[in-house]
Amino acid sequence: MDLADLHIFRSVVQAGGITRAAEKLNRVQSNVTTRVRQLETELGVELFVREGKRMHLSSAGRLLLDYADRLLDLAEEAREAVHDARPRGLLRLGTGESTAAVRLPVPMNEYLRRFPEVTLELRTGNTQSLSTHVLTGELDAALVPEPVAEAPFEKVAIYAEAMVIVAGAGHPPIKSPRDARPQTVLAFESGCAYRQRLEDWFARHGEMPDRIIEITSYHAILGCAVAGMGIALVPRLVLSTFPDAKLLSVHSLPPGLDRIQTVLIWRKGTLSPKVRALSEVLLEHAEVPKARRATGKNGRTALVSRNDRARA
């Protein structure tokens, strides 16, 4: 078993079949099929369950995919470290909508100015989907709200978002979910950390929203709140981008619920020069304590992960 076999195997999984994998790899279909069969023979297991022309990962295949991801990512990191430590190539970054719109324009402009050989590809989504894409190697890194699983990631704190509840203008003070009328929540799809925080707030008071309306953008959420359709939990910073913010009432959450930490995550053991440089630029533009940073022997700002700080 070599890295080429693992690369072909992972390509088949990602492409969803032999034919599309062969096209992406610029190989003939029979060659890809043969290499997959040889890998199965070498390992003595079936990596795919075959149903006609359809292929699904077997339990052994899912196990191997995790190792293949780690080995291939580590090999790429080794190549970058040995041959060129300068950030270059495609940087695939995931982030939430509010972070992309409000937080990132200035630091990303600075990042691309410093490292013109990097091409940025930005993808927005919720915490759950972005974390999954980092694990599968579809993203190099992502900016996501806590909580994030410790085991598969390394991470560094970047932003502490102040969170507020918004409702229509003139809405009475909201101290608990019972004060919200109507008890309708305006939120992104399931998997959004902000939505989960609001649902947890309801649950702590023994309440459940009467209704959850899923909306795909912050400005649409704020517009619906202006119309009196419900309440929403949003980063306070988002209000500065909404032209009709004066038509909203803004309500504070109790301490402990009113701030959410945004962290930069990457797959454990895969810190590339591109992501390291990104973390440094983000930290330069972020309102985080100086304890979040450490200086390496070469004088450059070095990354300190949350786990490292805990061990210090």
Side-chain angles (χ1 to χ4, degrees), residues 108-306:
M108 293 316 301
N109 178 273
E110 173 68 15
Y111 178 81
L112 294 175
R113 185 190 65 78
R114 288 189 200 177
F115 308 108
E117 294 174 87
V118 174
T119 301
L120 175 65
E121 180 180 288
L122 195 65
R123 179 186 301 184
T124 59
N126 62 50
T127 303
Q128 182 177 314
S129 65
L130 293 176
S131 300
T132 299
H133 291 322
V134 171
L135 279 180
T136 59
E138 296 173 67
L139 291 174
D140 299 301
L143 282 160
V144 295
E146 291 274 35
V148 177
E150 295 282 348
F153 300 109
E154 292 178 81
K155 53 190 173 181
V156 63
I158 304 294
Y159 308 115
E161 293 289 359
M163 307 299 297
V164 294
I165 294 173
V166 295
H171 193 291
I174 300 176
K175 302 296 184 182
S176 77
R178 298 181 186 88
D179 299 328
R181 291 291 180 266
Q183 281 191 316
T184 297
V185 166
L186 310 169
F188 288 107
E189 63 186 352
S190 181
C192 170
Y194 299 159
R195 168 176 171 169
Q196 187 61 54
R197 177 66 62 93
L198 190 56
E199 290 179 351
D200 291 345
W201 182 64
F202 270 81
R204 289 186 184 191
H205 288 80
E207 298 276 338
M208 287 295 291
D210 296 335
R211 187 182 180 197
I212 297 178
I213 300 177
E214 294 187 351
I215 304 177
T216 58
S217 78
Y218 273 112
H219 277 204
I221 286 175
L222 295 175
C224 290
V226 167
M229 291 175 56
I231 67 168
L233 180 67
V234 301
R236 182 181 286 276
L237 207 58
V238 169
L239 299 180
S240 66
T241 70
F242 186 58
D244 294 321
K246 62 182 180 296
L247 300 178
L248 291 165
S249 59
V250 181
H251 309 264
S252 299
L253 280 168
L257 294 175
D258 61 342
R259 299 185 82 80
I260 295 182
Q261 192 75 55
T262 297
V263 294
L264 179 69
I265 64 170
W266 59 93
R267 206 171 131 99
K268 188 167 286 186
T270 63
L271 180 59
S272 66
K274 291 177 294 188
V275 175
R276 177 180 290 277
L278 172 65
S279 70
E280 293 173 355
V281 173
L282 289 174
L283 283 171
E284 289 173 13
H285 290 266
E287 315 91 358
V288 294
K290 291 182 179 179
R292 294 285 190 259
R293 309 179 195 186
T295 303
K297 293 180 180 179
N298 59 3
R300 295 181 60 194
T301 298
L303 203 69
V304 181
S305 74
R306 192 177 182 191

Side-chain angles (χ1 to χ4, degrees), residues 37-114:
R37 291 288 191 185
Q38 288 175 342
L39 184 58
E40 289 180 317
T41 299
E42 181 181 350
L43 295 173
V45 295
E46 286 193 349
L47 300 174
F48 295 94
V49 177
R50 296 166 174 83
E51 298 176 355
K53 293 184 178 181
R54 300 179 61 186
M55 299 173 63
H56 306 283
L57 272 178
S58 66
S59 58
R62 285 192 294 272
L63 182 61
L64 179 64
L65 180 61
D66 180 61
Y67 283 100
D69 283 337
R70 282 188 275 171
L71 289 168
L72 291 169
D73 289 344
L74 189 60
E76 179 61 26
E77 182 184 354
R79 278 191 289 269
E80 289 184 357
V82 169
H83 295 290
D84 190 359
R86 180 171 177 80
R88 65 176 70 233
L90 179 64
L91 172 64
R92 301 162 301 168
L93 177 65
T95 180
E97 181 184 320
S98 64
T99 302
V102 182
R103 294 286 195 181
L104 288 186
V106 172
M108 293 316 301
N109 178 273
E110 173 68 15
Y111 178 81
L112 294 175
R113 185 190 65 78
R114 288 189 200 177

